[in-house]
Amino acid sequence: ESEKVKKQKAIAKEYVDKALSWEEEDDDAGGFRIVVLKHIFDPKQAEGDPNYYEDIEKDIMEECETMGPVEKVTVFEKNEEGVVVVKFRGSLAAHKCRKVMNGRWFDGRKLEAEFFDGKTDYRYKQTEEEVAERRKNWEKWLESEEQEEEDAGP
């Protein structure tokens, strides 16, 4: 056989193997692809460390990529349950992640892994005191900007 024929046969075999394989790539988009990981972090540990959440995101991305292609990792900063959400390209990787991570111990905390219900909002909600403090700081900043403009003159 010529090299061209061998190459075509190899490509055809690879295509058939892939089509018949259980391996995941871009499997069904309708499956569960988003996994919610709880107790990944304690928000109190983030205080004073500007890179804390970024480091968590990198660690989770690295760990979850061993289970399959990851589209996005979202760390919900200050969330009391220590929530990180991982969106996988396919549902098989998401199922594997849920199986591997649920009940696993991480930094002295037992993790929970579940599929996203499509409704729950994991974003941190500021207290009234925090909102008031933020407004006060914003007003101070605006006043300082106005003062700088007046001092600079025309």
Side-chain angles (χ1 to χ4, degrees), residues 71-127:
E71 286 186 7
K72 184 176 182 180
V73 172
T74 304
V75 178
F76 286 90
E77 296 181 16
K78 297 185 180 181
N79 179 286
E80 290 298 316
E81 292 184 287
V83 172
V84 176
V85 173
V86 183
K87 182 177 182 182
F88 288 91
R89 186 178 304 154
S91 61
L92 293 176
H95 280 275
K96 184 175 181 180
C97 175
R98 184 175 167 271
K99 185 178 178 182
V100 168
M101 299 296 258
N102 195 43
R104 184 176 182 176
W105 287 89
F106 179 75
D107 200 20
R109 294 179 296 276
K110 189 175 183 179
L111 303 184
E112 292 178 35
E114 57 194 41
F115 292 112
F116 181 55
D117 62 12
K119 297 175 187 172
T120 307
D121 183 357
Y122 294 106
R123 292 177 291 188
Y124 175 75
K125 280 115 181 125
Q126 290 184 317
T127 63

Side-chain angles (χ1 to χ4, degrees), residues 9-148:
K9 282 185 177 182
I11 290 170
K13 183 183 180 331
E14 186 178 323
Y15 177 77
V16 169
D17 288 348
K18 188 174 181 180
L20 297 175
S21 170
W22 287 99
E23 289 295 313
E24 170 184 18
E25 250 184 52
D26 291 335
D27 64 326
D28 65 328
F32 293 98
R33 300 184 311 135
I34 301 173
V35 179
V36 177
L37 302 172
K38 294 182 179 178
H39 314 298
I40 293 289
F41 63 88
D42 179 347
K44 292 177 186 122
Q45 290 178 314
E47 293 171 13
D49 183 353
N51 299 319
Y52 183 78
Y53 293 113
E54 188 178 309
D55 292 343
I56 294 283
E57 182 180 343
K58 286 177 186 174
D59 290 347
I60 295 301
M61 176 68 85
E62 193 175 290
E63 179 67 23
C64 288
E65 282 181 331
T66 65
M67 298 169 214
V70 174
E71 286 186 7
K72 184 176 182 180
V73 172
T74 304
V75 178
F76 286 90
E77 296 181 16
K78 297 185 180 181
N79 179 286
E80 290 298 316
E81 292 184 287
V83 172
V84 176
V85 173
V86 183
K87 182 177 182 182
F88 288 91
R89 186 178 304 154
S91 61
L92 293 176
H95 280 275
K96 184 175 181 180
C97 175
R98 184 175 167 271
K99 185 178 178 182
V100 168
M101 299 296 258
N102 195 43
R104 184 176 182 176
W105 287 89
F106 179 75
D107 200 20
R109 294 179 296 276
K110 189 175 183 179
L111 303 184
E112 292 178 35
E114 57 194 41
F115 292 112
F116 181 55
D117 62 12
K119 297 175 187 172
T120 307
D121 183 357
Y122 294 106
R123 292 177 291 188
Y124 175 75
K125 280 115 181 125
Q126 290 184 317
T127 63
E128 288 182 32
E129 292 83 20
E130 289 172 319
V131 171
E133 180 68 23
R134 188 168 43 88
R135 274 196 193 114
K136 188 174 124 186
N137 290 337
W138 175 249
E139 288 168 3
K140 277 184 187 177
W141 181 81
L142 286 175
E143 289 170 8
S144 70
E145 287 291 307
E146 288 173 4
Q147 187 61 45
E148 284 180 26

